[in-house]
Amino acid sequence: MDDEAAAVTAPAVDGYLVREAERIAEALVFASAQPVSEGFIADRVPRGVDVRAVMQRLKADYTERGVNLIQVDGAWAFRTAADLSFVIRRDDNEVRKLSRAALEVLAIIAYHQPVTRAEIEDIRGVQTSKGTLDVLMESGWVRFRGRRRTPGRPVTLGTTRDFLDHFGLEELRDLPGLEELKGAGLLSGRIPSNFNIPSPLMSDELTEEEDPITQLDLEELGLLAPGGASDD
């Protein structure tokens, strides 16, 4: 009888743990201003619970609601449903529009990362001002990835999780392709026949051609004062 009772009660206990995990995960994501990683959630829910399955169930539960649970680069966040964005007033938080040059540079970084400033200029055919890169850095959409293992060790640039979040992308592979860009009117109908859009990098990990950014690199780039203190 004991074995039969255990067989009956075990699923109920497991179901309770799963429901509790869903509540905890929901609260963690709701309380965070930034996307929350599955690892962070896993450390706080009952042990043994499949966090990925829990998040997928929550995502399904929020599909038809005013806010949706979305995945951003392996992390999770609540965002206003896309079809309701027009009712949300953001007059006080309006982000300044990027210049054409900044948009071009951002697009090149997104599709060609890891990419150096010299490579950006080679693609655009014109010099890229430091101010343009500064704007993209200040927006939180572009970051220093590493240093290229070539003479001069140029800094490589890449996009951030905030970039994916702002543009509603779960990962870089969701960037629009050639036909989508044409359909949106973002590319001229007279583009060269051999024109193509590269497949964006699928991982944030450094490539074999990159070295990590060190504290000395940050000081050289002016991101840290000598000695490691922040240059505020």
Side-chain angles (χ1 to χ4, degrees):
M1 293 295 294
D2 291 341
D3 292 339
E4 292 179 2
V8 172
T9 58
V13 172
D14 290 344
Y16 168 78
L17 292 178
V18 170
R19 289 194 298 275
E20 189 66 10
E22 289 180 352
R23 294 179 66 243
I24 293 172
E26 186 178 31
L28 290 172
V29 177
F30 178 80
S32 176
Q34 300 295 327
V36 180
S37 70
E38 290 183 3
F40 183 86
I41 296 171
D43 288 340
R44 288 157 177 79
V45 300
R47 184 169 299 179
V49 171
D50 186 341
V51 173
R52 175 61 60 87
V54 165
M55 300 312 294
Q56 291 296 340
R57 280 195 294 272
L58 282 174
K59 180 179 179 180
D61 289 343
Y62 276 90
T63 299
E64 302 298 328
R65 300 189 186 184
V67 293
N68 298 152
L69 181 63
I70 65 170
Q71 194 170 11
V72 183
D73 193 26
W76 295 87
F78 282 118
R79 294 293 181 262
T80 304
D83 61 329
L84 296 179
S85 59
F86 72 95
V87 302
I88 306 298
R89 295 184 61 86
R90 296 186 177 180
D91 296 342
D92 296 335
N93 299 315
E94 191 69 28
V95 178
R96 61 176 173 173
K97 293 183 178 180
L98 294 179
S99 66
R100 178 174 179 177
L103 285 172
E104 289 178 356
V105 171
L106 179 61
I108 291 170
I109 293 173
Y111 283 97
H112 291 264
Q113 60 187 301
V115 63
T116 66
R117 180 173 174 175
E119 290 167 343
I120 293 171
E121 293 176 345
D122 184 55
I123 294 171
R124 295 185 65 219
V126 295
Q127 186 174 2
T128 299
S129 71
K130 181 178 181 298
T132 297
L133 288 175
D134 286 344
V135 168
L136 296 176
M137 291 282 186
E138 290 168 4
S139 71
W141 296 343
V142 169
R143 66 186 176 89
F144 294 124
R145 283 178 50 94
R147 304 204 78 154
R148 185 70 54 77
R149 293 178 181 174
T150 56
R153 299 183 66 244
V155 174
T156 56
L157 300 163
T159 53
T160 66
R161 178 179 289 171
D162 285 346
F163 165 80
L164 295 176
D165 192 14
H166 181 85
F167 290 98
L169 305 171
E170 289 192 4
E171 52 190 357
L172 287 173
R173 73 178 67 201
D174 294 328
L175 283 167
L178 181 60
E179 294 305 318
E180 292 173 289
L181 291 175
K182 284 182 180 178
L186 298 177
L187 288 178
S188 168
R190 298 181 179 180
I191 60 175
S193 59
N194 62 346
F195 179 82
N196 65 81
I197 294 177
S199 298
L201 194 69
M202 291 298 105
S203 172
D204 278 342
E205 295 183 3
L206 297 177
T207 66
E208 294 181 356
E209 298 179 347
E210 293 177 285
D211 286 322
I213 294 282
T214 66
Q215 179 172 310
L216 289 177
D217 292 326
L218 294 177
E219 292 177 5
E220 179 184 329
L221 295 168
L223 300 181
L224 284 182
S230 297
D231 188 10
D232 293 329

